[in-house]
């Protein structure tokens, strides 16, 4: 969260103006091509960020096992959860081939991390690639995304359909992403749908469960709490909210299949999340989400560089992690094409649209 900027404010000069020079704003393919020079990794930086983050994560988890005062171990546990968020975003970049492409060691490290974080490579890459190609598109499958209903469809849905739709988008479900999004969504559901394709989902669950039971049996519930429950609950909950708020925020827009475009999905339906520099480090710059959706090949450590260099990205729709802004995002439930905005639960029933 930046103390010098309010949520929703634009941070820089509007597209089309740079100093005293006026030029037409780039759109579509031209804008995507403008990002191409930045879609090149600096290999040593990729390794540095990966290995330093893994090393810090290992040290913090190791700290939870040490004979220190409980508060010191608790601090290690909470910090480990935050570093897990950063490592997951780096893993996410690797799956986009933005960093360490064609590296056997990188493939080994990230495959193991995918099992560790309950997001194995097979399901994560398939679902996330689908998300990038269909984000903000109405009436498509909600693979890799939070489901979106129009107001009309919601009002006509059965009670059961409404319940499950609202349950998936509920703050409780998002907050406990460790259980619902990762353990169940990434692992159980994927393995049930295709055991042969997603055998690694079962492997991730088995390894995770065995480790948790071993810690509980030999070291007790307190150690399980500090080394597994707290860091994974914090990381998965925070990660689930980030993913939600990046595409469910005041001002977001959705399109049908005919009107949908890749550029719209990036600039109108993906937010720029304003953060304090410490949180930008924790989240590995995933807050520059509108740029990431324009070109997912840009390494996370180059996203601020793109933001500074290309004016068209500087007037992005914004959100933040201020509590009031978080509540506003979580309160959004359905899309209303007539009003061209997301509605809260109360607003769904407040005004009857023509034909409802």
């Amino acid at each position: 969260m930046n103390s010098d900027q309010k949520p929703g404010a634009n941070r820089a000069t509007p597209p089309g103006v740079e100093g005293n020079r006026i030029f037409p704003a780039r759109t579509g393919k031209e804008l995507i091509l403008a990002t191409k020079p930045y879609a090149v990794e600096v290999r040593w930086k990729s390794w540095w960020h990966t290995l330093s983050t893994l090393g810090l994560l290992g040290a913090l988890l190791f700290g939870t096992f040490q004979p220190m005062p409980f508060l010191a171990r608790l601090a290690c546990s909470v910090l480990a959860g935050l570093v897990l968020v950063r490592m997951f975003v780096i893993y996410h970049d690797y799956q986009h081939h933005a960093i360490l492409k064609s590296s056997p060691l990188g493939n080994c490290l990230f495959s193991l991390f995918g099992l560790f974080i309950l997001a194995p490579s097979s399901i994560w890459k398939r679902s996330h690639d689908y998300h990038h190609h269909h984000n903000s598109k109405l009436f498509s499958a909600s693979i890799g995304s939070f489901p979106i209903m129009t107001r009309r469809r919601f009002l006509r849905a059965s009670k059961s359909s409404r319940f499950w739709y609202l349950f998936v988008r509920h703050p409780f479900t998002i907050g406990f992403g460790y259980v619902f999004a990762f353990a169940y969504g990434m692992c159980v559901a994927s393995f049930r749908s295709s055991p042969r394709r997603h055998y690694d989902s079962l492997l991730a669950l088995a390894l995770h469960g065995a480790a948790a039971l071993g810690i509980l049996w030999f070291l007790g519930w307190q150690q399980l709490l500090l080394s597994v429950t707290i860091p994974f609950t914090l990381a998965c909950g925070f990660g689930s909210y980030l993913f939600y708020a990046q595409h469910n925020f005041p001002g977001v827009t959705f399109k049908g299949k005919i009107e949908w475009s890749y550029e719209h999905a990036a600039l109108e339906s993906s937010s720029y999340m304003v953060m304090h520099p410490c949180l930008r480090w924790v989240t590995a710059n995933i807050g520059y989400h509108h740029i990431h959706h324009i070109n997912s090949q840009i390494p996370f450590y180059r996203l601020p560089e793109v933001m500074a260099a290309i004016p068209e990205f500087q007037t992005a729709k914004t959100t933040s992690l201020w509590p009031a802004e978080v509540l506003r995002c979580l309160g959004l439930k359905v899309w209303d094409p007539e009003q061209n905005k997301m509605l809260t639960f109360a607003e769904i029933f407040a005004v009857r649209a023509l034909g409802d």
Side-chain angles (χ1 to χ4, degrees):
M1 294 175 287
N2 247 347
S3 58
D4 60 347
Q5 183 179 358
K6 295 179 181 179
N10 291 323
R11 304 189 67 196
T13 309
V17 179
E18 186 176 2
N20 295 321
R21 185 166 66 93
I22 300 176
F23 59 92
R26 290 162 290 191
T27 59
K29 186 176 181 180
E30 186 182 9
L31 181 57
I32 296 171
L33 288 175
T35 67
K36 191 173 180 181
Y38 304 93
V40 180
E41 72 167 328
V42 180
R43 184 58 68 110
W44 73 263
K45 283 189 177 182
S46 299
W47 276 117
W48 162 250
H49 287 297
T50 298
L51 296 178
S52 62
T53 303
L54 275 175
L56 182 58
L57 176 60
L60 289 167
L61 289 175
F62 183 70
T64 67
F65 288 87
Q66 299 311 298
M68 300 186 295
F70 178 80
L71 288 179
R73 296 167 66 207
L74 178 61
C76 286
S77 180
V78 171
L79 290 173
L82 295 176
V83 177
L84 258 178
V85 174
R86 175 176 171 81
M87 192 61 216
F88 183 82
V89 180
I90 295 174
Y91 167 71
H92 149 273
D93 254 36
Y94 174 78
Q95 294 296 344
H96 276 299
H97 304 302
I99 62 171
L100 302 179
K101 185 177 180 180
S102 303
S103 168
L105 178 57
N107 182 58
C108 179
L109 286 175
F110 285 112
S111 295
L112 291 173
F113 181 78
L115 297 176
F116 177 75
I117 198 62
L118 295 175
S121 298
S122 67
I123 182 58
W124 172 256
K125 180 159 180 59
R126 182 176 70 86
S127 62
H128 197 63
D129 284 352
Y130 185 93
H131 162 71
H132 268 258
H133 288 99
H134 298 274
N135 166 48
S136 82
K137 186 185 293 183
L138 290 172
F139 310 113
S140 67
S142 58
I143 298 170
S145 303
F146 284 87
I148 293 290
M149 276 190 182
T150 62
R151 180 173 177 271
R152 186 186 301 271
R153 183 181 172 194
F154 180 84
L155 291 172
R156 293 177 176 178
S158 66
K159 289 184 177 180
S160 175
S161 295
R162 288 188 189 183
F163 172 83
W164 287 112
Y165 173 78
L166 293 174
F167 177 79
V168 171
R169 298 175 59 87
H170 196 277
F172 174 83
T173 309
I174 295 169
F176 285 91
Y178 178 28
V179 175
F180 298 110
F182 286 80
Y184 180 78
M186 288 286 172
C187 295
V188 174
S190 64
F191 181 74
R192 287 176 58 187
S193 69
S194 180
R196 183 172 296 180
R197 175 186 285 184
H198 299 303
Y199 68 90
D200 54 352
S201 295
L202 180 62
L203 178 60
L205 275 177
L207 292 173
H208 197 81
L213 286 174
I215 292 171
L216 178 63
W217 181 264
F218 292 105
L219 299 174
W221 67 268
Q222 190 178 96
Q223 186 58 57
L224 178 66
L225 179 73
L226 293 172
S227 60
V228 178
T229 308
I230 290 176
F232 277 86
T233 300
L234 174 59
C236 296
F238 190 14
S240 295
Y241 175 73
L242 287 172
F243 189 69
Y244 170 87
Q246 285 159 349
H247 303 290
N248 292 267
F249 56 91
V252 68
T253 57
F254 297 87
K255 299 288 186 180
K257 292 181 180 179
I258 296 176
E259 300 88 2
W260 186 90
S261 71
Y262 195 82
E263 179 192 3
H264 165 268
L267 300 182
E268 302 298 322
S269 300
S270 304
S271 69
Y272 166 50
M273 188 172 284
V274 181
M275 296 183 192
H276 186 277
C278 291
L279 283 173
R280 287 204 296 269
W281 183 90
V282 166
T283 59
N285 292 328
I286 199 63
Y288 295 88
H289 211 60
H290 59 308
I291 303 174
H292 172 66
H293 266 267
I294 277 284
N295 190 340
S296 62
Q297 300 281 302
I298 301 171
F300 69 94
Y301 49 80
R302 300 199 69 177
L303 291 172
E305 184 184 349
V306 180
M307 183 82 161
I310 301 179
E312 287 83 352
F313 292 129
Q314 296 167 6
T315 52
K317 294 179 178 180
T318 63
T319 184
S320 76
L321 292 173
W322 288 104
E325 194 76 358
V326 171
L327 291 175
R328 288 178 68 199
C329 291
L330 290 173
L332 301 176
K333 300 302 177 184
V334 304
W335 172 250
D336 187 357
E338 284 80 12
Q339 298 186 59
N340 200 40
K341 70 173 188 176
M342 288 287 286
L343 303 180
T344 65
F345 189 77
E347 289 172 332
I348 295 173
F349 302 96
V351 179
R352 290 285 175 179
L354 183 63
D356 281 354

